[in-house]
Amino acid sequence: AQTVTQSQPEMSVQEAETVTLSCTYDTSESDYYLFWYKQPPSRQMILVIRQEAYKQQNATENRFSVNFQKAAKSFSLKISDSQLGDAAMYFCAYRSATTGGGADGLTFGKGTHLIIQP
Amino acid sequence: DTEVTQTPKHLVMGMTNKKSLKCEQHMGHRAMYWYKQKAKKPPELMFVYSYEKLSINESVPSRFSPECPNSSLLNLHLHALQPEDSALYLCASSEGQNGVQFFGPGTRLTVL
């Protein structure tokens, strides 16, 4: 079974600064997807960024980027120019790519609560 | 339309009640999911439907009964629940090939 570990229960950053959230995972599979989801207090789970394991290039979405180290099984999220709206619970998630039809659930880490200080 | 909708937003029920949660998507996704999320915890997978067939049941008690009447709709029938079943129930859908799951806003369930 796959496991996802987020070792930082809470992080705090000043507005406009950069913060990095850590995630490690354990799997015996070679093909999989990794995600960062954001869940604000309003509770809707929103996709932040996605990485395919077979791609060496790190994914980037505007102010959000990842550092994907496949050999180390590490998948950290960097948020640049932090904004008040970035405050939320951030979940790292794993999904196998080996099941046909995409019908595999996500395995989540425990989450990191990100606080943005004005 | 990139939205997953869930009704109701909130539900309070007694342990002897029967109720249903509803989830709908019109993105043409062929995989749909139910997750349970307790306060300050990550979501936990309950069920997966792929092409309207149940493909994964994560050992969920039989008091939870999923149903997929068509490719756009997913229900979760609830019967004889326990207070510990109180949680946020999240529905998600996925196109499948690219791995991304889109989540609905959830139903906050309270069992008295």
Side-chain angles (χ1 to χ4, degrees):
Chain A
Q2 296 78 31
T3 58
V4 178
T5 302
Q6 293 178 249
S7 58
Q8 304 153 316
E10 187 172 280
M11 293 281 285
S12 182
V13 64
Q14 290 291 127
E15 197 176 0
E17 296 293 306
T18 295
V19 63
T20 298
L21 307 185
S22 301
C23 173
T24 58
Y25 60 94
D26 190 26
T27 183
S28 58
E29 299 177 327
S30 58
D31 198 12
Y32 49 88
Y33 300 98
L34 295 165
F35 307 88
W36 280 97
Y37 279 89
K38 165 186 175 182
Q39 190 175 36
S42 65
R43 78 190 183 204
Q44 179 108 31
M45 192 79 75
I46 301 164
L47 177 70
V48 174
I49 202 164
R50 164 182 169 264
Q51 177 78 44
E52 292 152 323
Y54 66 86
K55 287 188 177 177
Q56 292 188 340
Q57 186 173 4
N58 290 323
T60 300
E61 287 287 341
N62 300 315
R63 298 182 295 106
F64 299 88
S65 61
V66 297
N67 183 3
F68 173 49
Q69 302 288 329
K70 191 173 183 179
K73 295 181 181 169
S74 170
F75 182 61
S76 60
L77 174 69
K78 185 171 85 171
I79 306 174
S80 303
D81 185 25
S82 298
Q83 299 175 1
L84 293 177
D86 294 334
M89 184 69 82
Y90 284 79
F91 291 102
C92 179
Y94 172 104
R95 210 210 83 180
S96 172
T98 55
T99 303
D104 258 347
L106 294 169
T107 299
F108 289 90
K110 291 187 176 180
T112 296
H113 181 213
L114 180 63
I115 298 166
I116 311 294
Q117 307 274 8
Chain B
D1 184 2
T2 57
E3 193 179 20
V4 177
T5 59
Q6 289 188 244
T7 54
K9 284 191 168 65
H10 299 274
L11 178 63
V12 179
M13 61 186 289
M15 289 190 284
T16 58
N17 291 158
K18 285 186 183 180
K19 297 286 185 184
S20 297
L21 309 185
K22 179 181 171 181
C23 173
E24 200 160 4
Q25 57 89 12
H26 296 286
M27 295 178 276
H29 291 171
R30 303 316 298 261
M32 295 185 77
Y33 311 78
W34 281 115
Y35 290 85
K36 174 182 177 181
Q37 186 178 24
K38 301 283 274 184
K40 299 189 188 301
K41 298 287 187 185
E44 294 178 343
L45 183 67
M46 299 175 73
F47 302 105
V48 180
Y49 272 84
S50 179
Y51 292 89
E52 299 163 50
K53 289 196 167 96
L54 184 65
S55 62
I56 296 178
N57 176 342
E58 292 286 0
S59 303
V60 178
S62 59
R63 57 185 183 269
F64 294 91
S65 175
E67 179 198 19
C68 189
N70 59 56
S71 61
S72 300
L73 191 56
L74 186 66
N75 297 322
L76 186 62
H77 303 298
L78 313 172
H79 172 55
L81 294 193
Q82 304 297 309
E84 59 264 29
D85 296 321
S86 298
L88 181 66
Y89 287 84
L90 294 167
C91 174
S93 71
S94 170
E95 179 268 328
Q97 298 307 314
N98 68 6
V100 176
Q101 294 186 14
F102 294 89
F103 284 82
T107 294
R108 174 74 61 192
L109 173 68
T110 302
V111 182
L112 300 177

